[in-house]
Amino acid sequence: MSQFPINPTPPSPALSPSGRQRSPMRSGLMFAGVYVISIWIVHIINTIIFGGDLVYFGIHPLDLSSVWHIFSSPFLHADINHLISNTVTGAIFSFLVGASGARVWWEVTAFVVILGGAGVWLLGGVGTNHIGASGLVYGWLAYLLVRGIFNRSFSQILTGVILGVFYSGLVWGVLPGVPGVSWQAHLFGAIGGMAAGVLITSDDPPALQEKRRQKQISRGKIS
């Protein structure tokens, strides 16, 4: 995400609309495709039709009129290089999250967009405009790094370790240092992803889900 002055074994297969189970691979590919197609279509429309003016709909910290921009800013990119930099890694992480099912993908993405966007809006710096999908990229990665710890899945812990090794260099992106780069979006996006890893239960392996259900039965909460 840029800033500039203003002027893996899934817990359970996803279900298709017809009710049939969708394989983890198919589900992951679908959400990777949704991500890539969305940001590229918006960038093409912004460039060809609006001459880049849609970047106004990025996050303007502490500007009440732009609060809703937390939902539009991830789709907007300053130029083709900015777009490409978020395409490949974002597609990989969207695939890995989406492989756990549609509900997991939407829940994690909601945490990242809302918590990450709110953090940028509050602390991003007055007079700046924050755009780009890198907050999502950092959020998805943070979720993938921690989820196995909280849902007690060895395969997901292993996935997190592998991703941590391959993408360890991204940690520097949450620190200030590079002019024009929104480290706040990276930081708060990652916080949103970690919160999702801690709080959501839709990504729990079947054994953990059953254990929780049995515990609720024993406490008389469900029959």
Side-chain angles (χ1 to χ4, degrees), residues 144-160:
L144 292 166
L145 291 176
V146 306
R147 67 171 175 173
I149 298 172
F150 294 97
N151 65 20
R152 306 171 197 174
S153 168
F154 174 77
S155 63
Q156 292 177 358
I157 291 174
L158 181 60
T159 298

Side-chain angles (χ1 to χ4, degrees), residues 62 138 141 150 166 212:
L62 299 182
Y138 271 79
L141 175 59
F150 294 97
F166 276 95
R212 183 180 295 110

Side-chain angles (χ1 to χ4, degrees), residues 150-180:
F150 294 97
N151 65 20
R152 306 171 197 174
S153 168
F154 174 77
S155 63
Q156 292 177 358
I157 291 174
L158 181 60
T159 298
V161 171
I162 294 171
L163 290 174
V165 171
F166 276 95
Y167 294 99
S168 59
L170 290 181
V171 69
W172 301 110
V174 302
L175 301 175
V178 181

Side-chain angles (χ1 to χ4, degrees), residues 3 49 69 116 119 156 160 193 218:
Q3 84 175 36
I49 299 178
H69 293 186
Q156 292 177 358
S218 67

Side-chain angles (χ1 to χ4, degrees), residues 1 4 11 16 20 24 39 43 48 58 66 75 91 94-95 114 119 126 185 209-210:
M1 180 173 280
F4 48 91
S16 67
R20 293 175 297 180
I39 62 174
H43 185 74
I48 296 176
S66 79
F75 296 96
S94 184
F95 168 83
I114 295 172
V126 175
Q209 292 179 5
E210 179 61 21

